[in-house]
Amino acid sequence: MNRVFPLPKLYRQSILRPLPRISLVTARRFATKGSDHPTEDKPRSPTEGKAVAEHAKLDEGAKSGVSEEVLAPLQNIPTPELFSLKNRTIIVTGAGRGLGLTLAHGFIESGAHVRAIDILSKPTEPYWSTASSLATSKGLTLEYHNLDITSETSTSKTFSKLFSSAPSNAPIRGLYISAGINHFLPAEEFSAEQFRRVIDINLTGTFISAQAFAKEWFKKYGDKGEILKAGEGASVVFTGSMSGHIANAGLMCAPYGASKAGVNQLVRNLAMEWSKKGIRVNSLSPGYIQTTLNNAVLAEHPEYTDLWVSQSLLGRLSTADEFRGPATFLLSDASSFMTGADIISDGGHTAT
Ligand SMILES: NC(=O)c1ccc[n+]([C@@H]2O[C@H](COP(=O)([O-])OP(=O)(O)OC[C@H]3O[C@@H](n4cnc5c(N)ncnc54)[C@H](O)[C@@H]3O)[C@@H](O)[C@H]2O)c1
């Protein structure tokens, strides 16, 4: 007996839908025997570099009636230059020492003017002077601003001053947030005050800084939600941590892990709210970095060195300079289509 089975709705829609319109160029190609359609290509060497869908690219232009230039605003910029931070000023929090100061130095190397912010009354020497000399030698400016990023009022005032005083040929277009603290204690011994302090600096301070940046940006460029082209707008980068993704075996720092997981989620929320208003928001999550502070922890607990190294797929800890690449990538036009994302740079620690 023949039984009629009703087709699932989606399938019915797909077979009953009229065939898509094929542009003239495509039609002619399909009609020509021995055409250069990729399915008819002979096997190609992997190094040949021939685009598989070159014909499709041409057809796109023909169909939409716009030039390739409009479709790809960055296409005429050579790849290495996409990573440049020239003609822009970057604010870096936590830039008085450690990762923040190393990155500030790296951003100057990439051509940015830098505005360093830290709660320390003075930045750490000799690193600051080295960065300062580099800036001068490149005709760039590096300024230090003493600020506690947990203070809404002071942060708002400082960011307002920074936006209005930035060089006219290098407006503020980026914020890198490195300010953060850790506190080691067994979870059952943390007081609420100690717990709140970590959250206050790492998570609330990150939010306050990003919000102060966004308010100044919207004040200057509007917040009407005009979609910007690739290479336009600003980039805000948070420092997460692999500790926001995993509990570091053997380390007792519950509020730190919670704060960094919060930072990773904050990225997604702010990206959802601000990306169409011109601000991309992403984070960089490092693994263990050999900073002065971590070296002090390792001196106190030599057993951690072996543990941390054994957990790294690269078999070593990182140094702060290794994060110049991913941080510069996220601030630059090289990451023009990235927002709401996290780059985990942890030597493979969280992969296993
Ligand atoms: N060191 C690591 O192994 C590691 C790993 C992953 C993530 N991180 C993150 O990287 C960032 C930098 O860490 P680091 O190792 O360079 O530490 P660090 O202590 O050397 O640097 C942090 C800086 O933030 C500043 N800061 C602290 N509270 C502040 C506040 N309220 N206002 C303004 N500035 C304040 C400090 O004065 C310091 O200069 C932190 O967010 C940290 O959580 C570090």
Side-chain angles (χ1 to χ4, degrees):
M1 184 181 91
N2 280 338
R3 288 188 59 189
V4 179
F5 292 95
L7 289 168
K9 192 172 168 213
L10 266 178
Y11 183 65
R12 258 186 288 141
Q13 277 170 352
S14 71
I15 58 167
L16 296 178
R17 206 175 47 199
L19 283 171
R21 283 192 6 222
I22 301 173
S23 80
L24 268 182
V25 183
T26 311
R28 230 177 277 134
R29 285 216 165 116
F30 275 120
T32 319
K33 211 174 163 7
S35 75
D36 58 355
H37 185 270
T39 53
E40 295 184 16
D41 273 356
K42 291 193 184 73
R44 288 170 303 129
S45 124
T47 52
E48 195 182 316
K50 189 175 171 189
V52 170
E54 195 55 38
H55 69 289
K57 199 168 140 203
L58 289 175
D59 283 0
E60 273 306 306
K63 216 172 12 177
S64 60
V66 290
S67 76
E68 290 270 300
E69 208 173 314
V70 174
L71 284 173
L74 296 178
Q75 75 174 3
N76 292 325
I77 300 177
T79 307
E81 280 177 35
L82 286 176
F83 294 82
S84 165
L85 297 178
K86 278 183 189 153
N87 305 321
R88 62 186 85 186
T89 299
I90 307 288
I91 301 173
V92 187
T93 77
R97 69 174 182 218
L99 178 68
L101 182 45
T102 305
L103 293 183
H105 188 119
F107 302 154
I108 295 167
E109 287 171 335
S110 296
H113 295 256
V114 170
R115 302 295 176 254
I117 283 175
D118 205 290
I119 199 169
L120 299 173
S121 58
K122 280 185 187 157
T124 313
E125 292 294 357
Y127 311 105
W128 179 262
S129 294
T130 309
S132 214
S133 305
L134 176 70
T136 309
S137 73
K138 290 171 78 76
L140 299 168
T141 52
L142 171 65
E143 289 175 8
Y144 190 74
H145 297 265
N146 179 224
L147 171 73
D148 178 350
I149 49 135
T150 62
S151 160
E152 235 178 316
T153 319
S154 312
T155 306
S156 161
K157 271 190 199 150
T158 303
F159 275 63
S160 173
K161 203 163 67 184
L162 295 182
F163 264 78
S164 55
S165 65
S168 56
N169 61 352
I172 288 181
R173 285 190 56 198
L175 167 65
Y176 188 93
I177 298 179
S178 192
I181 61 164
N182 201 347
H183 194 136
F184 297 98
L185 265 187
E188 64 276 17
E189 290 176 25
F190 265 102
S191 68
E193 195 188 334
Q194 287 166 326
F195 194 98
R196 281 195 195 107
R197 178 88 185 123
V198 177
I199 300 290
D200 202 24
I201 294 173
N202 294 4
L203 183 54
T204 316
T206 292
F207 175 70
I208 290 172
S209 310
Q211 188 194 49
F213 183 96
K215 280 185 176 173
E216 291 305 317
W217 182 269
F218 298 147
K219 216 188 289 175
K220 196 161 178 185
Y221 302 105
D223 64 352
K224 296 287 176 285
E226 190 186 327
I227 310 257
L228 299 176
K229 284 195 221 119
E232 295 180 343
S235 171
V236 170
V237 185
F238 297 168
T239 309
S241 169
M242 67 175 179
S243 314
H245 298 268
I246 47 126
N248 304 52
L251 281 192
M252 288 168 286
C253 52
Y256 182 79
S259 72
K260 292 299 183 177
V263 163
N264 289 137
Q265 179 55 38
L266 187 60
V267 157
R268 292 185 277 267
N269 280 78
L270 299 187
M272 185 268 291
E273 292 197 37
W274 295 343
S275 297
K276 285 184 190 154
K277 297 178 180 179
I279 304 177
R280 296 188 291 116
V281 188
N282 294 290
S283 57
L284 169 60
S285 288
Y288 292 117
I289 314 171
Q290 281 178 287
T291 53
T292 318
L293 283 194
N294 267 347
N295 286 340
V297 174
L298 292 175
E300 210 177 307
H301 298 277
E303 70 280 10
Y304 286 169
T305 308
D306 287 346
L307 177 67
W308 293 1
V309 167
S310 72
Q311 292 167 332
S312 157
L313 296 189
L314 291 176
R316 62 177 180 81
L317 307 182
S318 69
T319 49
D321 60 291
E322 295 188 272
F323 300 95
R324 287 176 302 162
T328 304
F329 166 69
L330 287 175
L331 284 172
S332 70
D333 296 343
S335 60
S336 59
F337 201 52
M338 269 181 83
T339 194
D342 180 43
I343 293 183
I344 304 181
S345 180
D346 66 350
H349 187 118
T350 57
T352 53

